[in-house]
Amino acid sequence: GSYSYYLPVDFTDFSDEETETLAFNVQAGTVLGDLPPYEAFTLGGTDSVRGYGAGELGTGRSFLQVTAEYRFPIVAIVSGAVFLDYGTDLGTADDVPGEPANVRDKPGSGFGYGLGLRIQSPIGPIRIDYGFGEDGDGRFHFGFGERF
């Protein structure tokens, strides 16, 4: 499941035409019944907890992700974002056959935070984020459209 909530705000005077937004998203899921390891939920990466590589944070039978973003305009086709992500496998790493999260020493939960740019291109919005994980290491994340 996924739930998003958007709240218009006016913290700065970047633009009179574009609005600033606080955006919130909560996602959760679980697998009932048989679970092949390749069907497990993976945490970390561009569309999950930014600041970690894809699947680097956790692999589990269940998961919970929470994201908060402040989105703001910069110039006509460029906007910015400040974000905070959190994800957890809810302690279900041991419930995945072969225990891939334990074998790869994944922490199972963690925070990511950072900054991003959104560029409105002819093919749609391009997302460029720089996120930091809890260990302080940073990494770039690229995507199309908003994260949610």
Side-chain angles (χ1 to χ4, degrees):
S2 180
Y3 177 77
S4 298
Y5 184 77
Y6 304 91
L7 181 65
V9 294
D10 190 17
F11 294 146
T12 66
D13 292 325
F14 285 131
S15 170
D16 292 332
E17 297 174 17
E18 299 286 329
T19 60
E20 301 162 57
T21 305
L22 290 176
F24 304 95
N25 179 257
V26 176
Q27 296 179 18
T30 193
V31 176
L32 304 173
D34 294 337
L35 173 68
Y38 57 85
E39 297 262 335
F41 294 107
T42 57
L43 298 170
T46 300
D47 293 317
S48 180
V49 181
R50 294 163 284 188
Y52 293 89
E56 191 176 79
L57 185 59
T59 304
R61 176 176 284 274
S62 301
F63 82 103
L64 173 69
Q65 284 182 173
V66 180
T67 296
E69 289 187 351
Y70 168 56
R71 300 174 181 173
F72 55 93
I74 297 175
V75 295
I77 64 168
V78 179
S79 60
V82 177
F83 60 85
L84 175 65
D85 299 331
Y86 173 74
T88 178
D89 64 12
L90 299 169
T92 62
D94 295 343
D95 299 332
V96 177
E99 299 182 10
N102 296 333
V103 170
R104 293 178 177 84
D105 200 28
K106 297 180 182 183
S109 65
F111 286 95
Y113 57 92
L115 303 166
L117 290 176
R118 310 296 184 258
I119 302 166
Q120 299 301 321
S121 77
I123 60 169
I126 298 172
R127 179 169 31 110
I128 305 167
D129 292 327
Y130 193 79
F132 296 92
E134 286 184 75
D135 58 4
D137 289 342
R139 66 175 58 231
F140 279 103
H141 297 276
F142 298 93
F144 290 96
E146 289 291 352
R147 160 95 167 55
F148 57 92

